[in-house]
Amino acid sequence: MEDINAIAMLQDPVRRRLYEYVAAQGREVGRNEAAEAAGVARTLAAHHLDKLAEAGLLESGSRRLTGRTGPGAGRPAKVYTRAPAERSVSLPARDYRTAAELLAEAAEQAGLDAGLCAAARRRGEALRGSAAPCGSLDEAMEVLAARGYEPRVEGVEAGGTEGEGAKGAGAEGEPGGTGPVVRMRNCPFHAVAERFPPLVCGMNLALLEGLLGTDGPVRARMDARPGECCVVVESSKDNDD
C-alpha cells in the first residue's frame, strides 16, 4: 500500500510537474527554481515538494545556493533530489524482480554471458523492427527516452554540436571530449544490475546495440559512471576519424 499511496500523489498535476522537473535535473533543485519551472508560487511549490519528500519520492536537504560561506552568506536553502528507491505497483501482486535475480544468478554461475548478450541483441533488433539504424544522436535520444533511460547530452566541444538536440539538451561539457556523448540517468535494470553488474551491464549494452543498430552513424559502448546507466551512446564518426 505504501507504493500505491506514493504513486497516487503524482495524480495532482502540479505535484507531477514538480517531481518530473526535479527528477530530470540530476542535481539538487531549490524551491525557487522548481516553482519557476512548474509555473506556480514558491509557497505552493514548497508545500508539494515537502509532500513528495514525505512520500519518499524525493529526498530533501539544505545548502547555500549562492556557494558562499561565512558571515553574510545567507541561510541554507532547502533543496530536493529524486529519491533512489524504486516504486512499483502490481495488481495482483507479482515478483518479477526475484525471478530476474534468480535467472541472472543461474546465468552467471553457468557462464552464459555470451548467450544472454546474443539474446539481448536479438531482442533489441526485434524492438527496432524494420526501421533503419538510428541516424543521429537526436534520433537515438528519442528511442532511449521512450525506453525510460532518461538520456542527456554532454561533452559538446565549444563551437561544435551534433544537431539541434545536442545544442538544446543542456550539455555540461566534458574536458577533453571530442564530441557529444549521450549519457543516461536511469538504468531500467538497476536493481538486478547492482547485484550482477558484469552480466546485466553486458546484456544492456547488447540490447542497445540491437535497438540502435551497429552499422549506422551512432554506436553504444560501455562507460560506467556511479548512479547512471553503464552504457553511453556517441557518434561513431567521432572515434573513427
Side-chain angles (χ1 to χ4, degrees), residues 188-201:
F189 315 109
H190 173 73
V192 187
E194 277 196 320
R195 288 197 57 189
F196 308 95
L199 180 77
V200 178
C201 290

Side-chain angles (χ1 to χ4, degrees), residues 19 61 67 144 205:
Y19 173 80
L144 294 168
L205 174 61

Side-chain angles (χ1 to χ4, degrees), residues 81-163:
T81 55
R82 178 169 59 181
E86 296 181 11
R87 301 285 183 175
S88 61
V89 176
S90 177
L91 298 173
R94 297 289 185 262
D95 190 4
Y96 298 115
R97 175 173 172 175
T98 296
E101 290 178 348
L102 289 171
L103 290 168
E105 181 178 358
E108 188 173 75
Q109 291 179 353
L112 299 178
D113 303 55
L116 177 61
C117 287
R121 193 170 290 107
R122 290 194 299 271
R123 174 59 63 89
E125 292 170 349
L127 291 171
R128 177 158 53 92
S130 59
C134 286
S136 67
L137 288 185
D138 289 341
E139 186 179 340
M141 288 184 68
E142 291 180 5
V143 172
L144 294 168
R147 303 290 307 175
Y149 282 91
E150 298 182 7
R152 75 184 194 284
V153 175
E154 70 173 39
V156 180
E157 280 187 331
T161 59
E162 177 77 10

Side-chain angles (χ1 to χ4, degrees), residues 1-235:
M1 292 298 296
E2 181 180 346
D3 282 359
I4 294 177
N5 292 335
I7 294 173
M9 294 193 69
L10 297 176
Q11 184 175 1
D12 182 282
V14 173
R15 202 168 286 171
R16 180 178 295 185
R17 289 203 303 272
L18 289 165
Y19 173 80
E20 289 176 345
Y21 179 79
V22 173
Q25 304 316 302
R27 56 173 173 78
E28 294 176 329
V29 174
R31 288 172 166 176
N32 287 338
E33 179 186 349
E36 183 177 353
V40 298
R42 182 184 184 280
T43 53
L44 181 60
H47 168 75
H48 284 307
L49 289 167
D50 285 341
K51 288 294 184 182
L52 290 168
E54 290 173 11
L57 295 172
L58 298 180
E59 289 185 347
S60 63
S62 61
R63 67 176 177 86
R64 290 186 173 90
L65 298 178
T66 62
R68 300 196 305 270
T69 58
R75 296 176 58 186
K78 201 161 188 180
V79 292
Y80 303 84
T81 55
R82 178 169 59 181
E86 296 181 11
R87 301 285 183 175
S88 61
V89 176
S90 177
L91 298 173
R94 297 289 185 262
D95 190 4
Y96 298 115
R97 175 173 172 175
T98 296
E101 290 178 348
L102 289 171
L103 290 168
E105 181 178 358
E108 188 173 75
Q109 291 179 353
L112 299 178
D113 303 55
L116 177 61
C117 287
R121 193 170 290 107
R122 290 194 299 271
R123 174 59 63 89
E125 292 170 349
L127 291 171
R128 177 158 53 92
S130 59
C134 286
S136 67
L137 288 185
D138 289 341
E139 186 179 340
M141 288 184 68
E142 291 180 5
V143 172
L144 294 168
R147 303 290 307 175
Y149 282 91
E150 298 182 7
R152 75 184 194 284
V153 175
E154 70 173 39
V156 180
E157 280 187 331
T161 59
E162 177 77 10
E164 292 301 317
K167 288 193 294 184
E172 298 168 304
E174 186 173 343
T178 58
V181 173
V182 176
R183 292 189 177 273
M184 294 164 271
R185 290 196 177 96
N186 183 52
C187 172
F189 315 109
H190 173 73
V192 187
E194 277 196 320
R195 288 197 57 189
F196 308 95
L199 180 77
V200 178
C201 290
M203 176 200 75
N204 188 26
L205 174 61
L207 177 70
L208 291 180
E209 287 176 339
L211 185 64
L212 303 176
T214 57
D215 53 353
V218 301
R219 72 172 183 180
R221 64 176 173 85
M222 199 77 74
D223 188 10
R225 179 185 287 184
E228 296 186 348
C229 178
C230 58
V231 178
V232 299
V233 178
E234 63 189 0
S235 295

